Amino acid sequence: MAVHDHVDLASFIEGVKKRNPGQPEFVQAVTEVAQDIFEFIEDKEKYHAAQILRRIAEPDRVVSFRVCWEDDAHNIRVQRGWRVQNNNAIGPYKGGIRFHPTVTESVLKFLAFEQTFKNSLTGLPMGGGKGGATFNPKGKSDAEVMRFCQAYMTELYRHIGPDTDVPAGDIGVGSREIGYMFGQYKRITNRWEGVLTGKALEYGGSLMRPEATGYGAVYFLGNMLSHAGMEIDGRSCVISGSGNVATHAAEMIARRGGKVLTLSDSDGFIHDPAGMNQEKIDWVKALKTVRRGRISEYAEEFPGSTHHADKTPWGVPAELFLPCATQNELNGEAAKTIVKNGCVAVAEGANMPTTLEGVEVFHDAKILYAPGKAANAGGVAVSGLEMSQNAARVSWNTKQLDTLLTDIMGDIHAKCAQYGGGGDGHINYVKGANIAGFKKVADAMLAYGVM
Ligand code: NDP
Ligand code: 2IT
């Protein structure tokens, strides 16, 4: 057998940095995965010889395009849009679309890379992709959002399809935006097909999709706790964000007897020492999706709660933490504070919310720590189920879908335990998720030969 030159981990990371200048988020995501994969493939020549990790860390393609639209004051506006198709070894590219001013090619490449492992973990046939634009929906009228979404889809439609690439929502893209984009795809192609997920129920959406990411993260948290002989009931919980993922995570924590103390947005966080019940959470959902207001208004509405401008919630002592806003929102210092204050578990609803330093702090402290690619996979899993329902032209009920979601989150936990379990019974969920996610994609790629 031929003996191949193996690059070591340090040279591999150096290469990633060199090939992706000015893309720190992408380098960060690849670094985190590479550490575990190098250990796993050390004695497995076939993955080295076929350069599998090097190939997964090089997107199949990155499409970038101009999105031009007219605002209500008749100004011509120009934004940049992208679709990153990272890897379709195990199924059509699949992943959300993000509209936010902080969107860059680096951010979308990291998200599409992570998505590849996450989608593999769900057990469903979905490859990894991600898209987005530098558009900021905040403060825009419905008509402006509609014109932007139509302009974005007018370019995107030629790159996607139900068996090619199936986008969904992410930050700044919810039911309203999916509606405008799906309508435009249908108008251009004259085809009604399951090309997007996260659709409303009237036109092919799936029950449980809005809830799936937040609920799934809490199911995963529950699995971690019960594996360690604990439960959610009676425990305090700090959540960041106040969008789709955060509000549904809060709802399920409250339903399971936990006490949700905080929510946040990019202007600060609110602290409610009394905890949030369903009525308060419903109020936040309406604030964010109907009135499109700011979380600071919570403190005016509910006596006893306070707003902390321009601050993150990590200093509030609690046992459970669910970062559900955005990448790198929880750094090493915040992780130290969280550990010092007696945290038992962290489950990431957001994608890569913890910096590499923060992850190291959690690992050293041996708390239960689930990375986004495992804990927030429930959203894309139910997206996969939406694709199945669209393809079969059927609609499943809430009970069926919740059972499937519960089982998928349980299976992901089991895979993490299989590949991340140590001799002392402690599970390294990052390692487990990285290896289990990698293995399925890698083995499919080996089957295809060199491409
Ligand atoms: P939403 O747009 O519904 O909500 C995003 C929330 O995060 C808002 O509260 C927003 O505050 C806050 N936020 C966004 N950017 C920043 C920032 N730069 N700094 C501080 N706060 C910020 O998005 P989702 O809830 O859908 O997504 C949240 C996270 O979950 C993202 O990381 C996403 O990738 C991830 N995710 C989402 C899934 C889904 O199904 N929707 C599936 C899996 C993961 P503000 O209003 O001020 O912008
Ligand atoms: O990050 C994610 O997994 C999502 N934004 C959901 C992707 C999807 O296709 O449902």
Side-chain angles (χ1 to χ4, degrees):
M1 197 168 104
V3 177
H4 301 273
D5 289 338
H6 295 176
V7 293
D8 56 58
L9 176 62
S11 322
F12 178 82
I13 302 295
E14 260 330 291
V16 172
K17 281 185 186 154
K18 218 164 127 190
R19 288 189 296 277
N20 301 281
Q23 302 198 337
E25 295 87 359
F26 180 66
V27 172
Q28 181 184 342
V30 176
T31 301
E32 191 223 65
V33 167
Q35 289 166 352
D36 294 324
I37 301 306
F38 264 73
E39 196 186 312
F40 174 67
I41 66 175
E42 194 181 351
D43 56 351
K44 299 177 184 68
E45 171 65 19
K46 59 183 179 178
Y47 299 122
H48 281 291
Q51 296 274 332
I52 296 291
L53 186 59
R54 170 84 167 78
R55 283 153 67 184
I56 298 178
E58 193 67 49
D60 288 355
R61 63 192 65 80
V62 178
V63 186
S64 138
F65 45 89
R66 183 184 65 246
V67 185
C68 190
W69 59 287
E70 193 176 343
D71 69 19
D72 287 346
H74 302 295
N75 298 303
I76 300 304
R77 311 282 289 260
V78 182
Q79 249 91 38
R80 187 169 300 168
W82 289 267
R83 186 72 184 166
V84 179
Q85 297 179 331
N86 192 71
N87 187 293
N88 67 351
I90 63 168
Y93 303 107
K94 179 89 196 85
I97 292 175
R98 179 177 292 191
F99 290 164
H100 199 269
T102 58
V103 165
T104 61
E105 193 172 306
S106 169
V107 167
L108 296 177
K109 276 173 67 179
F110 114 65
L111 287 163
F113 177 80
E114 287 282 292
Q115 197 84 42
T116 304
F117 294 81
K118 182 197 306 191
N119 294 3
S120 166
L121 283 171
T122 66
L124 300 173
M126 301 182 290
K130 201 85 187 190
T134 53
F135 177 71
N136 185 358
K138 254 177 252 162
K140 303 285 192 303
S141 69
D142 283 351
E144 289 177 322
V145 171
M146 180 188 76
R147 288 195 293 276
F148 179 80
C149 288
Q150 291 179 342
Y152 179 82
M153 184 52 83
T154 300
E155 180 60 34
L156 183 69
Y157 89 93
R158 68 190 78 244
H159 305 292
I160 62 176
D163 297 312
T164 305
D165 184 353
V166 183
D170 193 78
I171 294 176
V173 177
S175 176
R176 173 181 63 169
E177 291 75 17
I178 293 289
Y180 292 144
M181 287 193 276
F182 187 76
Q184 183 71 349
Y185 179 90
K186 185 172 66 59
R187 172 159 76 170
I188 296 172
T189 61
N190 196 29
R191 291 174 71 87
W192 194 111
E193 53 194 10
V195 70
L196 298 179
T197 61
K199 302 185 289 299
L201 292 177
E202 295 76 19
Y203 55 94
S206 175
L207 286 163
M208 287 297 293
R209 177 62 189 87
E211 295 86 356
T213 311
Y215 282 16
V218 176
Y219 295 171
F220 197 91
L221 176 67
N223 292 339
M224 289 202 294
L225 288 168
S226 75
H227 187 265
M230 296 181 273
E231 56 185 8
I232 291 171
D233 191 20
R235 293 184 191 276
S236 52
C237 181
V238 159
I239 300 180
S240 66
S242 49
N244 171 277
V245 180
T247 52
H248 289 104
E251 183 168 285
M252 188 46 69
I253 288 283
R255 234 179 251 182
R256 293 208 170 179
K259 190 175 185 184
V260 179
L261 299 175
T262 67
L263 287 173
S264 73
D265 62 22
S266 45
D267 297 330
F269 78 93
I270 54 103
H271 182 196
D272 186 348
M276 293 180 200
N277 57 18
Q278 188 66 47
E279 188 194 326
K280 290 175 176 175
I281 295 164
D282 285 343
W283 184 90
V284 176
K285 284 185 185 173
L287 171 78
K288 286 298 189 172
T289 59
V290 182
R291 294 199 283 121
R292 298 188 186 274
R294 309 301 299 157
I295 199 66
S296 57
E297 295 170 43
Y298 185 102
E300 294 154 28
E301 181 73 15
F302 298 108
S305 62
T306 47
H307 181 249
H308 304 262
D310 302 322
K311 295 249 173 7
T312 53
W314 314 126
V316 175
E319 291 163 287
L320 311 175
F321 284 77
L322 288 155
C324 296
T326 193
Q327 66 275 356
N328 291 330
E329 56 169 320
L330 199 167
N331 63 19
E333 280 311 304
K336 281 183 199 154
T337 304
I338 285 173
V339 168
K340 182 170 64 74
N341 285 342
C343 160
V344 295
V346 178
E348 295 181 343
N351 287 304
M352 206 170 75
T354 311
T355 62
L356 287 174
E357 293 73 29
V359 173
E360 209 177 306
V361 172
F362 291 151
H363 279 156
D364 289 348
K366 289 217 163 183
I367 59 160
L368 302 172
Y369 166 59
K373 63 172 81 69
N376 73 36
V380 75
V382 176
S383 275
L385 302 177
E386 183 173 332
M387 289 166 71
S388 302
Q389 292 170 82
N390 290 168
R393 303 196 191 284
V394 295
S395 298
W396 298 332
N397 65 37
T398 301
K399 193 158 164 265
Q400 288 169 301
L401 287 156
D402 195 34
T403 302
L404 288 165
L405 173 63
T406 303
D407 288 350
I408 289 170
M409 298 316 292
D411 288 347
I412 297 175
H413 186 274
K415 285 177 197 164
C416 290
Q418 182 185 350
Y419 290 102
D424 57 358
H426 180 74
I427 298 172
N428 180 334
Y429 287 92
V430 176
K431 183 175 164 185
N434 283 340
I435 296 173
F438 170 82
K439 194 170 179 306
K440 182 178 176 186
V441 177
D443 289 341
M445 290 171 72
L446 285 179
Y448 302 143
V450 179
M451 57 178 64

